Amino acid sequence: MSKTKQEQKVPEHEHEHEDVNVLTLRRREELDQLKKLGMDPYPHEFDRTDFSADIIETFTDGGEEKTVAVAGRIMSLRRMGKASFCHIQDSRGKMQIYLKRDDLGVAYDAFRLMDIGDIVGVQGFVFRTKMGEVSVHARQMVLLAKSLRPLPVVKEKIDEQGQKSVFDPFSDKELRYRQRYVDLIVNPEVRDVFMKRAKIVTTIRKFLDERGYLEVETPVLQPMYGGAFARPFRTQHNALDMDFFLRIADELYLKRLIVGGFDGVYEISKDFRNEGMDRVHNPEFTMMELYVAYKDYLWMMELVEQLIARVAVETNGNTVVSLGGNKVNFAPPWKRISMFQIIEKVTGKDLRDKSEVELRKIAKELGLEIEPGLGRGEIIDEIFSKKVQQNLVQPAFVIDYPVEMSPLAKRHRSEPGLVERFEGFANGQEICNAFTELNDPIDQRMRFEEQMKLRASGNEEAQLLDEDFLRALEYGMPPTAGLGIGIDRLTMLMTNRDSIRDVIFFPQMKPEK
């Protein structure tokens, strides 16, 4: 039985299975044999000159013979007597390699000791096989890294219509997230998701830089956390002998910089919230926060429309993105509707001016269990998120929130009891959160004090009273528009993924058993 056939019999995910142990032992024996042949199985470098996709795209039949040097991981093997084939995978695709004993000598003997998963370097010339596949005829071949663990073998079949089917995929999500390195090797489409994620961040940064906003950095370790409703991670600073917190948001530090005289600042950063994990929550996540002086939330809505439309075009080539069974069009303008209006439209319940007791009764009528200690704003938020949000398929701004939900937003200029805030939604997911920022230090102190009362009643996510931030506001902050965009959730939308773990390289996981 050939080695290739042996590997195809390996149970896909049972890394402690006896067959896997046998194959791992055999690979170590091969490693020793390669060393006896005088080969270094882990050399220091290889001078690669070409990538698979470029070679295939530029090849022309009858043209001048082209010499190339390629490198990648062996993904398939077809061994014969004096000649063999393999496919290697680099960062841009796959390339077939043709090997002849007469050309390679000892290296061909070494090839007999190589396996799927090994990384090799090949120098040779490009040609087209009788089967029509552009390939590299190897003149030299070196082992660059011996793989000591067998990869899950993913089989592909292409039918007469050219449709590709995948058999025995590495599809166990728990294992894929935990062993992302294997996921990236055997599921190349996963790499495309993260390349799009990088494109999204680059596009946002370029968009903001073009408008003259300054990218800044603020502390990750903070003596006092704030800027969001969340529980923090706590750590000990030994030299200062005091507790610090991993930031839950960048907001309060960025607004200090607006006080200091910057016209527009933004930060793309990791934030941390000590909360549960689910389809849209990971304790460590990436946020972009932007603050622009002398602007309000109406201006910010237009900027968000332009920004997200540009991100869609840069990552998908169009403002229309396929999300599940929906075609979502991010082209401006987006629909705008007030929070109370859309809640009443969907549920039939008018929540405006309702007391906490009345809101609890309405929530119960809607089939919602409301925890003790939650205030009026949080009950409204619970009703909205559980009963309304999933209906927002096409991009829309939900605007004008109750003041209790937004302790850092400025009071509405014409609607008592509301603040100038919006959140952007698409395909039932939140895209962003934005305010006309509260710059009245007296009102801000009162809001913080209300939050402290909620904390005293048992709400651990209510915000703290930050004296230094209040001091900064007392020096004067100009009218300001603020925005937060979750990069992970935006990536989910732009790549049609339904779990945040699909767009984070190494999501948080429960301990491995």
Side-chain angles (χ1 to χ4, degrees):
M1 182 181 290
S2 72
K3 293 171 188 174
T4 306
K5 290 180 180 177
Q6 278 184 303
E7 291 194 350
Q8 288 174 346
K9 293 183 70 175
V10 177
E12 186 182 335
H13 304 315
E14 298 177 15
H15 281 238
E16 298 306 320
H17 192 284
E18 182 180 2
D19 287 357
V20 175
N21 289 336
V22 169
L23 289 171
T24 301
L25 178 61
R26 176 175 61 71
R27 287 174 179 241
R28 289 183 179 272
E29 292 171 351
E30 290 170 345
L31 181 70
D32 292 337
Q33 293 177 50
L34 286 165
K35 290 177 179 178
K36 289 176 182 177
L37 286 175
M39 295 195 70
D40 179 0
Y42 302 103
H44 290 76
E45 52 83 33
F46 178 78
D47 187 15
R48 176 173 61 184
T49 60
D50 301 271
F51 291 89
S52 58
D54 299 331
I55 294 170
I56 294 168
E57 288 172 8
T58 60
F59 177 79
T60 55
D61 292 298
E64 184 178 346
E65 183 177 286
K66 181 181 180 182
T67 300
V68 297
V70 294
R73 190 181 297 273
I74 296 174
M75 298 304 291
S76 70
L77 288 167
R78 186 152 52 94
R79 289 191 244 258
M80 295 172 280
K82 295 183 179 181
S84 298
F85 288 92
C86 70
H87 279 88
I88 66 171
Q89 177 175 281
D90 61 22
S91 61
R92 301 185 191 176
K94 289 182 181 179
M95 185 90 238
Q96 180 168 265
I97 309 296
Y98 173 62
L99 308 104
K100 286 184 65 178
R101 179 188 294 277
D102 292 345
D103 294 328
L104 297 174
V106 175
Y108 192 83
D109 295 331
F111 176 69
R112 308 290 293 183
L113 297 169
M114 295 182 195
D115 292 286
I116 290 175
D118 290 356
I119 300 172
V120 296
V122 176
Q123 288 182 319
F125 64 89
V126 186
F127 75 109
R128 189 186 297 276
T129 67
K130 293 179 181 179
M131 299 299 292
E133 184 169 357
V134 177
S135 306
V136 174
H137 184 131
R139 294 297 193 192
Q140 295 180 354
M141 183 176 197
V142 293
L143 178 64
L144 301 177
K146 180 64 180 171
S147 171
L148 299 181
R149 285 179 177 265
L151 288 174
V153 176
V154 180
K155 305 169 193 174
E156 296 179 357
K157 181 179 179 181
I158 301 178
D159 62 22
E160 295 177 355
Q161 287 73 41
Q163 299 297 315
K164 183 171 71 173
S165 300
V166 178
F167 302 90
D168 301 327
F170 183 58
S171 56
D172 183 307
K173 287 201 168 186
E174 178 85 5
L175 199 58
R176 285 180 51 215
Y177 300 146
R178 201 177 292 282
Q179 298 181 19
R180 182 68 82 185
Y181 38 89
V182 179
D183 188 26
L184 290 166
I185 293 169
V186 302
N187 294 317
E189 68 279 4
V190 173
R191 190 182 304 129
D192 294 338
V193 170
F194 289 98
M195 291 178 72
K196 280 190 174 182
R197 180 189 172 109
K199 186 71 171 178
I200 289 166
V201 174
T202 299
T203 300
I204 291 173
R205 182 173 277 119
K206 185 176 180 181
F207 180 93
L208 298 177
D209 288 347
E210 287 171 355
R211 284 153 179 77
Y213 307 137
L214 181 69
E215 184 173 9
V216 299
E217 295 176 306
T218 61
V220 176
L221 284 176
Q222 301 179 351
M224 177 172 289
Y225 63 93
F229 293 100
R231 285 180 290 182
F233 288 93
R234 183 190 301 262
T235 188
Q236 171 71 19
H237 192 299
N238 292 333
L240 294 177
D241 190 25
M242 62 181 289
D243 283 347
F244 273 71
F245 305 93
L246 296 181
R247 65 177 166 210
I248 62 173
D250 308 4
E251 179 168 348
L252 302 188
Y253 280 94
L254 291 173
K255 287 200 279 196
R256 285 171 169 95
L257 298 180
I258 297 295
V259 170
F262 288 102
D263 289 324
V265 293
Y266 75 93
E267 185 169 16
I268 299 173
S269 64
K270 288 288 188 184
D271 289 346
F272 308 86
R273 297 181 185 175
N274 201 347
E275 58 192 10
M277 299 182 293
D278 59 29
R279 187 180 66 83
V280 293
H281 292 91
N282 191 69
E284 175 184 352
F285 59 98
T286 305
M287 282 287 292
M288 188 289 294
E289 292 199 36
L290 166 70
Y291 294 84
V292 182
Y294 308 106
K295 302 297 184 182
D296 66 2
Y297 80 140
L298 299 172
W299 174 89
M300 187 64 83
M301 281 185 230
E302 294 184 2
L303 181 130
V304 169
E305 288 173 338
Q306 297 168 28
L307 172 58
I308 302 302
R310 181 158 162 186
V311 167
V313 170
E314 290 291 331
T315 55
N316 291 292
N318 200 308
T319 58
V320 179
V321 179
S322 295
L323 297 172
N326 301 314
K327 296 283 188 181
V328 179
N329 190 351
F330 289 98
W334 298 4
K335 182 179 179 180
R336 303 180 185 189
I337 187 168
S338 76
M339 170 163 272
F340 284 127
Q341 284 176 343
I342 194 167
I343 290 175
E344 185 172 5
K345 180 179 179 181
V346 173
T347 68
K349 304 291 186 180
D350 180 6
L351 306 189
R352 188 75 185 261
D353 301 324
K354 294 294 189 294
S355 67
E356 181 181 324
V357 173
E358 290 172 316
L359 289 172
R360 286 183 177 275
K361 181 180 178 182
I362 291 171
K364 188 174 182 180
E365 291 172 359
L366 294 172
L368 298 177
E369 292 291 332
I370 302 298
E371 296 178 7
L374 295 188
R376 182 174 181 271
E378 289 156 310
I379 298 171
I380 295 171
D381 187 38
E382 188 76 1
I383 293 171
F384 174 81
S385 61
K386 295 293 175 59
K387 295 296 181 179
V388 178
Q389 182 175 324
Q390 65 267 27
N391 297 283
L392 298 169
V393 176
Q394 294 302 319
F397 293 122
V398 176
I399 66 174
D400 300 344
Y401 284 49
V403 66
E404 295 88 347
M405 290 180 66
S406 311
L408 295 165
K410 197 173 184 70
R411 291 182 188 273
H412 201 284
R413 64 195 76 184
S414 61
E415 294 284 347
L418 303 183
V419 294
E420 295 194 347
R421 173 186 177 185
F422 72 82
E423 289 183 293
F425 295 90
N427 204 44
Q429 292 188 41
E430 177 192 340
I431 301 174
C432 63
N433 185 26
F435 312 149
T436 301
E437 299 294 336
L438 177 55
N439 62 343
D440 179 344
I442 296 173
D443 189 4
Q444 183 65 83
R445 181 177 291 277
M446 291 171 56
R447 306 267 199 99
F448 277 155
E449 288 172 349
E450 288 299 317
Q451 289 291 302
M452 294 301 285
K453 291 178 183 177
L454 290 174
R455 291 186 70 85
S457 69
N459 188 338
E460 296 181 18
E461 294 188 354
Q463 300 201 33
L464 298 173
L465 193 154
D466 188 330
E467 286 288 358
D468 182 70
F469 176 67
L470 290 170
R471 178 168 57 192
L473 289 186
E474 287 170 358
Y475 279 99
M477 185 176 82
T480 299
L483 168 70
I485 294 178
I487 299 297
D488 311 294
R489 293 185 187 177
L490 181 59
T491 304
M492 288 171 62
L493 285 170
M494 293 299 161
T495 60
N496 194 20
R497 293 298 185 272
D498 60 5
S499 171
I500 196 170
R501 294 183 178 187
D502 289 329
V503 301
I504 296 175
F505 269 130
F506 304 106
Q508 289 293 329
M509 305 289 291
K510 293 179 180 179
E512 196 169 2
K513 292 182 180 179

